[in-house]
Amino acid sequence: MGYSISKTKSSPVEDLVCSTCHGHLFNAESFREAWQKRISYTMSWRDIQEANQKGCAWCDMIFSEVDAVINTMQDQSQTQYSPESARADADFLCQKKIDIVVAFRHEGNGETFLITQYENARDDRALAMSCIAISTPSETDDEASRFIQARPLIYEMQSENIVRLARESIHECLRNGEGHENCPKQIKSSLPTRVLDCQDPGKPKLKVDTGGIEEPYVTLSYVWGEDQPQKTTTDNIIQYVTSGLNMNETPQTIKDAVHVTHKLQFRYLWIDSYCIIQDSADDKVQEIRNMRRIFQNAHLTIIAAKTTKVSIGFLQDCPRLLPTFVVPFFCPDGGLGTITLSPRAMSNPYEADKEPTNSRGWCLEERILTPRALIYASHTLQYLCQRGLLNIGNSFIRAKLTGIDRLSPRFFYPEADSSPPHTETMREMTKLWHRILQDFTPRALTAPKDRLKAIAGVAEEFHLRLKSRYVAGMWEHHLLGDLLWTKAGHDPLPGPTAYRAPSWSWASVDGIVYNPGPVVEPHEACCIILDYHVDLEHYNLPYGALKGGFLKVKARSMKMVWNPFRNLLYRSAPNGKLVIIGGGHPDRLEDVESEGEQEEVWALPLALRPPKQSLFSPRSEEDKLPTLTGMLLKVHDLHHDCFRRVALFTCVMQAEVEREFWSSEEQIITIL
């Protein structure tokens, strides 16, 4: 049986599919049934192949989906069954008929998906099932746009259309009286110390006399990735002020940022390499101190998310990685339009955590401190504000959840008063801080000594809201709980070569750090914090680098045996044997002994947590017992009357452990 694309008295839209598909699905009655319920019909694999070769978009999609199943069967033949058996199944499939089931799924948020299922018509064996993303053309005159909200991804980063859509997104966010509810309104704020004047994008100049000028400005967040041939120094700052930048030598990312700033009709742009004097330590300290205000007061931040180094730029078109198919759409009210099907979009989501800016430490606070941002991602242009993260032009693509996108709205409004927030608010903000650290600590830093400095702006903002003292990356109001951080992963990393923070601070180690438990309540405390102190590297950077510090507690400590290689904690039984009572994951590689070797350490309990609540009955008696958690300590290498932290430990409060804990005397312990 033959299948023709051209049909008499058909519209160009209907010509997108073959006459057979027109009879089965792409007619008003059948399509309405699929839209409201579901529809099924049968075709042979050979007929699908023929229609695909003649240009039927629907058969083309079915062919690609089922063909992928056949290829998978053949790939798996090496491990599951013989190649002959796989080929026989594939040949059988190709010669027989396929049942095709089609339905639409309508989500509560207005999104619509197409559900397809392919079955062997002989034995009803399911071959494949797909949830397919649907979009309509960007042109508003397409009839389908009234029923399908999503639009195709935009790939052209320099088109006038995308500039227009970006402006519209910013305008909608700030529209007087009708803007986004949680987004901060445009306020007048003074320009940073220095900005680039982009009035002439071909020759931007450095503006330094900004005092008292209140104008909207844009900031740039990007990855250096390499040294920059042009950057402001004490020798060339006057040249940049009077003559401007030599755009022939300017890195492409900087050129692109100037271009976007000008296109969006802003005049001033802040970029770290030009607006901070790069060979002046004093200026760096001063401007890092201003980082929170620079990004929080910016009208907009441009995030060059996809760019690995400054010389590459971010305005190149995005690659079209996923196949799409345009088919007719018969509107419920009788209209006729088109929809674009993206069958691979659901199974190949956009992974934001793989973007270069999302792997760099400094870029986190630049992202979450800004009130709104244009994100030049690897797949399209995105707009971020307090409403959420959206693709420009309302285009659709599934995205894997990543770290923190933005702070809560309360961070973008002036503090109401000087008193601490309510207890529940403090608890929520403490949890948020822990989430931020879990996002921040895996990120790389060119200078590892900047571990505290690179998040100082966020810390300052939290201090203003919490009204709590900042202590080496932790907070005074929850210091006991904040001390219960631990390293993620099985293999500890070497400790830093230069001093960075006290051993009881997460900033003293590299790698991912997280706080595994909920907020510690006062009645769960097992020790008393008597005193603490940190020595700042720069007195005017209260949230930045440290050069010393101590923590003094009053607590009951217990001598234990620890095997850091196996992450196990033991106590000595009366018969002299070692009994496992818990675990302790080492903070640093230097504290890991070879397999089987054990050493004595001091266990300093910090909190006694109640048994975890579960929907199921406890599996054992131990599940009903509280958990003791705290720090494992060793005598400090240089100060023998003090200790250093080497691990976080947890153990179930068994009777023997409880007896030893309460029988030990309270001591005053100093940890460096």
Side-chain angles (χ1 to χ4, degrees), residues 36-187:
Q36 296 174 348
K37 298 178 182 178
R38 55 180 269 173
I39 192 172
S40 63
Y41 62 95
T42 303
M43 286 185 71
S44 73
W45 177 240
R46 194 175 306 282
D47 292 341
I48 292 171
Q49 285 179 305
E50 290 181 7
N52 164 49
Q53 292 169 0
K54 292 181 179 180
C56 174
W58 180 252
C59 287
D60 189 9
M61 187 195 73
I62 295 175
F63 177 83
S64 66
E65 292 288 282
V66 179
D67 189 56
V69 174
I70 295 174
N71 290 332
T72 300
M73 291 169 58
Q74 294 174 335
D75 290 342
Q76 292 175 344
S77 65
Q78 298 179 9
T79 56
Q80 295 187 1
Y81 43 82
S82 69
E84 294 78 12
S85 175
R87 187 66 256 175
D89 278 357
D91 290 342
F92 175 81
L93 172 63
C94 293
Q95 295 169 5
K96 301 301 178 180
K97 294 184 177 181
I98 300 173
D99 286 336
I100 302 168
V101 183
V102 182
F104 287 88
R105 191 177 80 195
H106 309 285
E107 301 287 344
N109 60 3
E111 293 179 344
T112 301
F113 301 95
L114 182 68
I115 307 298
T116 60
Q117 182 168 319
Y118 313 110
E119 301 173 348
N120 189 314
R122 180 179 179 181
D123 57 12
D124 294 331
R125 181 176 51 173
L127 301 173
M129 183 175 180
S130 299
C131 180
I132 300 173
I134 303 175
S135 59
T136 56
S138 302
E139 296 78 12
T140 56
D141 58 351
D142 191 290
E143 293 285 338
S145 64
R146 296 183 287 112
F147 300 92
I148 304 297
Q149 293 184 0
R151 302 293 179 261
L153 285 174
I154 300 175
Y155 302 102
E156 301 79 15
M157 293 297 102
Q158 298 191 61
S159 67
E160 289 299 323
N161 178 51
I162 205 163
V163 172
R164 175 183 60 81
L165 291 171
R167 283 187 199 151
E168 289 177 358
S169 297
I170 299 169
H171 176 71
E172 180 187 345
C173 187
L174 294 169
R175 197 165 41 189
N176 290 333
E178 301 178 11
H180 300 160
E181 180 181 357
N182 290 325
C183 290
K185 305 310 172 191
Q186 184 176 355
I187 59 173

Side-chain angles (χ1 to χ4, degrees), residues 266-431:
F266 294 103
R267 179 170 179 175
Y268 298 112
L269 171 64
W270 186 93
I271 303 176
D272 58 357
S273 57
Y274 292 94
C275 301
I276 300 175
I277 302 176
Q278 295 297 313
D279 61 349
S280 170
D282 291 341
D283 194 66
K284 283 185 176 180
V285 169
Q286 181 60 36
E287 293 307 308
I288 288 172
R289 182 71 175 87
N290 294 332
M291 202 66 71
R292 176 187 68 88
R293 287 181 290 275
I294 290 171
F295 279 88
Q296 200 166 49
N297 293 338
H299 193 92
L300 175 78
T301 293
I302 297 169
I303 300 179
K306 64 183 178 182
T307 305
T308 56
K309 54 184 179 181
V310 68
S311 60
I312 293 178
F314 56 86
L315 288 182
Q316 61 271 32
D317 290 348
C318 299
R320 300 171 184 260
L321 299 177
L322 302 177
T324 57
F325 307 87
V326 179
V327 298
F329 180 86
F330 291 83
C331 304
D333 62 0
L336 179 61
T338 60
I339 54 175
T340 300
L341 307 179
S342 303
R344 307 287 173 81
M346 304 296 289
S347 57
N348 294 274
Y350 165 65
E351 298 180 84
D353 59 345
K354 292 186 178 180
E355 300 284 24
T357 56
N358 290 334
S359 67
R360 304 299 299 179
W362 286 96
C363 293
L364 176 64
E365 73 170 15
E366 295 168 358
R367 180 187 182 106
I368 66 177
L369 286 176
T370 188
R372 59 195 63 84
L374 282 176
I375 303 174
Y376 286 83
S378 56
H379 68 306
T380 193
L381 177 61
Q382 298 179 309
Y383 183 73
L384 174 67
C385 66
Q386 287 303 301
R387 183 182 61 172
L389 178 64
L390 296 173
N391 294 333
I392 287 289
N394 201 29
S395 60
F396 168 83
I397 189 170
R398 271 286 186 262
K400 285 187 177 179
L401 294 178
T402 181
I404 301 293
D405 268 334
R406 61 196 186 280
L407 296 177
S408 58
R410 66 164 55 94
F411 287 91
F412 295 95
Y413 291 95
E415 309 95 90
D417 52 52
S418 58
S419 59
H422 296 297
T423 301
E424 187 57 37
T425 300
M426 293 192 75
R427 184 178 286 110
E428 290 176 5
M429 294 180 69
T430 301
K431 291 179 181 177

